[in-house]
């Protein structure tokens, strides 16, 4: 068995990279959870959540102990679909679907990590501070995870 405290807070470690995308795409604006559904059956857990931000409404789906791909969909001026989360699709007017290009390094390793590291190094070399995640940004993500998984 695993430590009960590890299991209790596993959603922070296992889903932060997905939920952080919500804050990224919404530019860390306020959020409101419109609908939340947790389905627990046979040691499996399905989380569905609709989150409203300033300009975008997100649909987040997390599947625990189930062989199913997690997904995030963002609905704003354009629709963005991440399913599987290693790919991103942009859906524009007329339902034109465009698969956005991802670095081969991101496909081989952790999705988005190579591009993220590249941008961080660029910011550090340039001396710029804007667009880097702050502790306040991080707290927004932690609070959003808490609201999705822990609020009754």
């Amino acid at each position: 068995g695993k430590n009960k405290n590890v299991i209790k807070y596993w959603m922070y470690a296992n889903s932060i990279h997905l939920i952080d995308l919500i804050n990224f795409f919404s530019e860390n604006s306020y959020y409101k959870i419109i609908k939340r559904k947790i389905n627990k059956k046979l040691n499996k857990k399905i989380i569905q959540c609709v989150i409203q931000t300033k300009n975008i409404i997100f649909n987040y789906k997390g599947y625990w102990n189930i062989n199913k791909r997690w997904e995030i969909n963002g609905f704003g001026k354009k629709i963005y679909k991440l399913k599987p989360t290693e790919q991103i699709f942009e859906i524009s007017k007329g339902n034109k679907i465009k698969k956005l290009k991802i670095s081969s390094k991101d496909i081989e390793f952790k999705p988005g990590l190579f591009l993220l590291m590249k941008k961080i190094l660029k910011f550090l070399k340039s001396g710029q501070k804007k667009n880097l995640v702050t502790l306040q940004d991080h707290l927004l993500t932690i609070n959003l995870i808490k609201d999705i998984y822990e609020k009754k």
Side-chain angles (χ1 to χ4, degrees):
K2 292 186 178 166
N3 182 308
K4 289 185 182 195
N5 277 332
V6 171
I7 292 169
K8 181 178 178 183
Y9 297 107
W10 189 246
M11 70 280 194
Y12 290 99
N14 200 42
S15 60
I16 193 165
H17 61 289
L18 293 177
I19 295 173
D20 215 16
L21 289 173
I22 294 170
N23 282 334
F24 174 78
F25 281 113
S26 66
E27 298 174 340
N28 294 317
S29 67
Y30 75 94
Y31 67 87
K32 176 182 175 185
I33 294 181
I34 300 171
K35 184 180 177 184
R36 182 175 168 273
K37 181 180 176 185
I38 298 178
N39 185 357
K40 295 180 187 180
K41 290 183 181 176
L42 301 172
N43 200 27
K44 294 173 173 56
K45 189 177 193 179
I46 301 171
I47 306 281
Q48 284 186 279
C49 195
V50 178
I51 303 157
Q52 178 182 0
T53 64
K54 185 177 177 183
N55 297 316
I56 304 172
I57 293 179
F58 293 93
N59 185 7
Y60 166 80
K61 293 181 186 174
Y63 302 95
W64 296 86
N65 297 324
I66 299 171
N67 188 16
K68 203 163 184 183
R69 297 194 181 264
W70 292 33
E71 68 181 277
I72 295 177
N73 298 307
F75 303 90
K77 289 181 182 175
K78 293 183 179 179
I79 298 171
Y80 292 95
K81 183 174 186 74
L82 286 83
K83 182 185 179 183
T85 55
E86 295 81 12
Q87 299 174 10
I88 184 166
F89 299 91
E90 179 184 276
I91 305 168
S92 55
K93 290 182 181 177
N95 288 330
K96 291 182 182 176
I97 300 173
K98 176 182 172 185
K99 183 176 178 181
L100 301 182
K101 188 175 179 181
I102 296 173
S103 160
S104 63
K105 300 286 185 209
D106 285 331
I107 294 168
E108 188 176 346
F109 304 108
K110 184 82 173 157
L113 187 59
F114 182 75
L115 182 58
L116 175 66
M117 293 285 88
K118 225 169 124 176
K119 286 188 175 193
I120 288 173
L121 289 172
K122 181 181 174 184
F123 281 121
L124 291 175
K125 287 179 183 177
S126 71
Q128 293 179 355
K129 300 289 186 215
K130 66 180 183 177
N131 296 329
L132 290 178
V133 175
T134 66
L135 287 175
Q136 280 304 115
D137 298 337
H138 177 69
L139 286 175
L140 280 173
T141 300
I142 295 300
N143 286 329
L144 180 53
I145 293 170
K146 184 176 183 177
D147 287 348
I148 291 171
Y149 284 94
E150 294 184 15
K151 293 238 173 146
K152 307 258 187 259

